[in-house]
């Protein structure tokens, strides 16, 4: 019902231009909406959510980064097109940075997302180039 009511575009707008607290809350809502329902994932991606989520990885609080990684993990799960879009949006460098400088939860979420993205050989190359995997 939330997606049918048109929730993704306003949430993406809030991610893109809202105050930090609003951005974190929007990411939290998107974690829930993107969890396991292919139609929801498709609608969320179509709203243009990937670039602002990647930006949220490094420009807001640790909580914002963790929630952004949660959404990105949900979007990437089993979807090669979304994985490629996440990489094209520049997710590798901030994810690799979070592996070494994030909280324990942030490190675990970054590792989970990188593992999910790295299931494809082309993606492994991008992750290695960002310093995320040893050759």
């Amino acid at each position: 019902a939330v997606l049918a009511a048109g929730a993704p575009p306003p949430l993406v707008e809030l991610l893109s231009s809202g105050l930090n607290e609003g951005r974190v809350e929007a990411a939290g809502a998107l974690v829930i909406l993107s969890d396991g329902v292919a139609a929801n994932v498709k609608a969320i991606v179509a709203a243009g959510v990937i670039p602002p989520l990647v930006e949220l990885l490094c420009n807001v609080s640790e909580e914002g980064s963790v929630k952004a990684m949660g959404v990105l993990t949900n979007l990437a799960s089993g979807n090669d097109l979304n994985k490629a879009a996440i990489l094209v949006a520049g997710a590798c460098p901030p994810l690799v940075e979070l592996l070494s400088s994030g909280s324990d939860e942030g490190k675990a979420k970054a590792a989970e997302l990188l593992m999910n993205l790295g299931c494809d050989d082309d993606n492994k190359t991008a992750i290695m180039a960002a310093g995320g995997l040893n050759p």
Side-chain angles (χ1 to χ4, degrees):
V2 173
L3 288 173
L11 289 171
V12 170
E13 178 64 28
L14 188 56
L15 276 175
S16 300
S17 61
L19 299 174
N20 284 345
E21 185 177 328
R23 295 173 78 194
V24 171
E25 293 301 322
L30 288 164
V31 168
I32 295 165
L33 293 173
S34 65
D35 191 16
V37 179
N40 292 0
V41 168
K42 185 176 180 179
I44 290 166
V45 170
V49 76
I50 292 173
L53 284 171
V54 170
E55 182 182 325
L56 194 62
L57 290 176
C58 52
N59 292 334
V60 184
S61 65
E62 177 76 21
E63 180 184 11
S65 295
V66 167
K67 288 182 179 181
M69 287 185 281
V71 181
L72 291 168
T73 298
N74 289 346
L75 300 180
S77 183
N79 190 311
D80 291 340
L81 291 175
N82 289 349
K83 289 176 187 177
I86 291 166
L87 292 174
V88 167
C92 283
L95 288 171
V96 170
E97 178 65 27
L98 286 164
L99 283 175
S100 62
S101 67
S103 66
D104 288 345
E105 182 181 15
K107 289 175 184 176
K109 289 286 188 183
E112 178 185 10
L113 181 50
L114 284 166
M115 183 180 71
N116 193 328
L117 294 171
C119 290
D120 177 275
D121 286 340
D122 290 336
N123 296 353
K124 286 179 187 172
T125 302
I127 294 167
M128 284 191 300
L133 295 172
N134 293 326

